[in-house]
């Protein structure tokens, strides 16, 4: 063997295919273009994405940023070989965290890391991200695709998302005037959303069902399809309700930790959320998970959204007006509880009634 042959290694020999990366960028350009909005009209491919706050209509904005991933829901996407919806989850987990602070999501960036890049798989993921951005009204202005052989097993990948939003100064939530007697509205979730999937996967393995088996809790769908139902994006209805009624005092995104972890994050220390569990209509997926895994109601409420993806705190005399705006925007809204006094050191969430599982 000649010296030149011995030293003729390429990046491709090491497992990284630059051409595959370039091909993926070309494949995703139309999806990225479809997310353009005032303030963002550049093309991807530069070293950074640009956004013009003035063109977006802001005069004295405060920027709000959030980042998140999809968690082990990705394992279901990989095992079921369905990659077109996890991008929606990625966007949802970030932009729902922005809107709870009263901010309008403006732009989004993604990070996609894999062992071996499959341009079609990558494009399907980014098309899902673009769909999430369109639902949220934010622009996908950039991202990073990392091919890392040796870091990820064959077929595995991970996603992270980064979103930036803005609110005019003085308009941020929660407002400082949450009071006893304020009403808590619940907004229905689309299912499990993107939390608790390590437990979901354990329960599925106990059930012995394959991902392509019929879903026991949802007619006409495979188990994989049903469990990959994307996280609901609440941005546009909530922004409309915030702006039209001026009556939303606080919002909480119900993610990992459920009611007890997420609601107290937006409450003053002297108030607690009294939740009426009888008002919660848990989708069938939660009943199936609880029954199949033998999971107690207390643990379900700590792990999953149990059918409530978002809560809003509003004055009692404005609850109907806020509900009407949200309902007109397609949300399923119900009275979930009220604000009550809290003793020092007491829990920030208290329950009455029973969760029907």
């Amino acid at each position: 063997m000649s010296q030149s042959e011995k030293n003729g290694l390429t990046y491709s020999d090491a497992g990284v295919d630059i051409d595959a990366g370039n091909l993926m960028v070309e494949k995703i350009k139309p999806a990225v273009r479809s997310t353009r909005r005032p303030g963002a009209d550049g093309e991807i491919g530069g070293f950074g994405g640009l956004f013009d706050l003035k063109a977006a209509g802001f005069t004295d904005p405060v920027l709000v940023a959030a980042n998140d991933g999809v968690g082990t829901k990705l394992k279901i996407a990989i095992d079921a070989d369905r990659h077109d919806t996890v991008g929606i989850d990625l966007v949802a987990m970030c932009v729902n965290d922005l809107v709870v602070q009263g901010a309008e999501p403006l732009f989004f960036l993604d990070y996609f890391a894999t062992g071996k890049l499959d341009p079609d798989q990558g494009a399907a993921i980014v098309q899902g991200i673009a769909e999430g951005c369109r639902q949220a009204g934010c622009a996908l202005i950039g991202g990073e695709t990392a091919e890392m052989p040796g870091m990820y097993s064959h077929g595995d990948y991970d996603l992270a998302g980064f979103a930036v939003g803005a609110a005019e100064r003085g308009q941020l939530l929660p407002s400082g005037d949450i009071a006893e007697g304020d009403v808590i509205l619940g907004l229905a979730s689309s299912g499990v959303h993107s939390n608790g999937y390590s437990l979901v996967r354990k329960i599925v393995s106990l059930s012995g069902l394959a991902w392509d088996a019929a879903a026991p809790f949802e007619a006409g769908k495979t188990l994989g399809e049903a469990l990959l139902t994307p996280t609901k994006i609440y941005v546009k209805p909530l922004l409309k309700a915030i702006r039209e009624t001026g009556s939303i005092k606080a919002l909480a995104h119900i993610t990992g930790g459920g009611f007890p972890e997420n609601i107290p994050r937006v409450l003053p220390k002297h108030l607690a959320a009294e939740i009426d569990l009888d008002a919660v209509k848990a989708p069938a997926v939660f009943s199936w998970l609880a029954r199949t895994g033998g999971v107690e109601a207390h643990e379900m409420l700590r792990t999953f959204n149990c059918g409530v993806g978002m809560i809003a705190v509003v004055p009692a005399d404005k609850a109907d007006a806020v509900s009407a705006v949200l309902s007109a925007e397609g949300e399923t809204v119900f009275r979930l509880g009220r604000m009550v006094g809290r003793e020092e050191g007491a829990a920030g969430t208290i329950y009455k009634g029973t969760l029907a599982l």
Side-chain angles (χ1 to χ4, degrees), residues 206-285:
L206 286 173
S207 77
L209 292 172
W211 298 116
D212 58 0
F217 50 85
E218 195 166 344
K221 284 193 173 176
T222 65
L223 182 59
E225 262 181 299
L227 289 173
L228 287 171
T229 299
T231 307
K232 201 163 192 348
I233 292 175
Y234 298 96
V235 169
K236 289 180 179 176
L238 285 175
L239 286 176
K240 196 170 171 69
I242 289 167
R243 290 164 180 170
E244 285 193 6
T245 70
S247 298
I248 293 181
K249 293 185 176 186
L251 296 164
H253 184 199
I254 309 304
T255 55
F259 295 150
E261 296 294 328
N262 289 291
I263 298 177
R265 291 166 69 176
V266 298
L267 303 182
K269 294 280 181 261
H270 67 284
L271 292 174
E274 183 186 80
I275 302 295
D276 177 10
L277 294 177
D278 291 326
V280 179
K281 292 181 175 53
V285 60

Side-chain angles (χ1 to χ4, degrees), residues 31-32 34-35 87 91 125-135 140:
V32 173
S34 74
T35 69
V91 175
I125 292 165
V126 175
Q127 279 154 9
I129 292 170
E131 170 59 26
C133 286
R134 290 192 297 271
Q135 288 181 26
L140 178 56

Side-chain angles (χ1 to χ4, degrees), residues 108 178 260 297:
F108 190 87
I178 303 171

Side-chain angles (χ1 to χ4, degrees), residues 94-116:
C94 297
V95 296
N96 285 341
D97 280 356
L98 294 182
V99 78
V100 297
Q101 294 178 90
E104 176 187 337
L106 301 175
F107 60 86
F108 190 87
L109 298 103
D110 70 280
Y111 174 79
F112 167 50
T114 185
K116 174 138 191 70

Side-chain angles (χ1 to χ4, degrees), residues 133-312:
C133 286
R134 290 192 297 271
Q135 288 181 26
C138 66
L140 178 56
I141 65 168
E144 167 70 3
T145 302
E147 191 175 25
M148 299 195 282
M151 283 286 284
Y152 294 91
S153 304
H154 181 70
D156 280 352
Y157 60 85
D158 200 8
L159 292 175
F162 309 85
V164 173
E168 292 292 358
R169 196 175 301 278
Q171 302 290 303
L172 291 168
L173 295 178
S175 63
D177 59 347
I178 303 171
E180 271 189 65
D182 283 347
V183 167
I184 300 166
L185 298 175
L187 279 71
S189 68
S190 56
V192 186
H193 284 187
S194 296
N195 298 101
Y197 273 84
S198 295
L199 180 55
V200 169
R201 287 167 47 245
K202 194 163 184 62
I203 292 168
V204 170
S205 75
L206 286 173
S207 77
L209 292 172
W211 298 116
D212 58 0
F217 50 85
E218 195 166 344
K221 284 193 173 176
T222 65
L223 182 59
E225 262 181 299
L227 289 173
L228 287 171
T229 299
T231 307
K232 201 163 192 348
I233 292 175
Y234 298 96
V235 169
K236 289 180 179 176
L238 285 175
L239 286 176
K240 196 170 171 69
I242 289 167
R243 290 164 180 170
E244 285 193 6
T245 70
S247 298
I248 293 181
K249 293 185 176 186
L251 296 164
H253 184 199
I254 309 304
T255 55
F259 295 150
E261 296 294 328
N262 289 291
I263 298 177
R265 291 166 69 176
V266 298
L267 303 182
K269 294 280 181 261
H270 67 284
L271 292 174
E274 183 186 80
I275 302 295
D276 177 10
L277 294 177
D278 291 326
V280 179
K281 292 181 175 53
V285 60
F286 295 109
S287 303
W288 181 78
L289 289 168
R291 197 172 59 248
T292 310
V295 186
E296 293 177 1
H298 168 73
E299 188 64 20
M300 291 294 294
L301 287 164
R302 271 189 60 197
T303 309
F304 299 114
N305 67 62
C306 292
V308 184
M310 185 73 71
I311 66 106

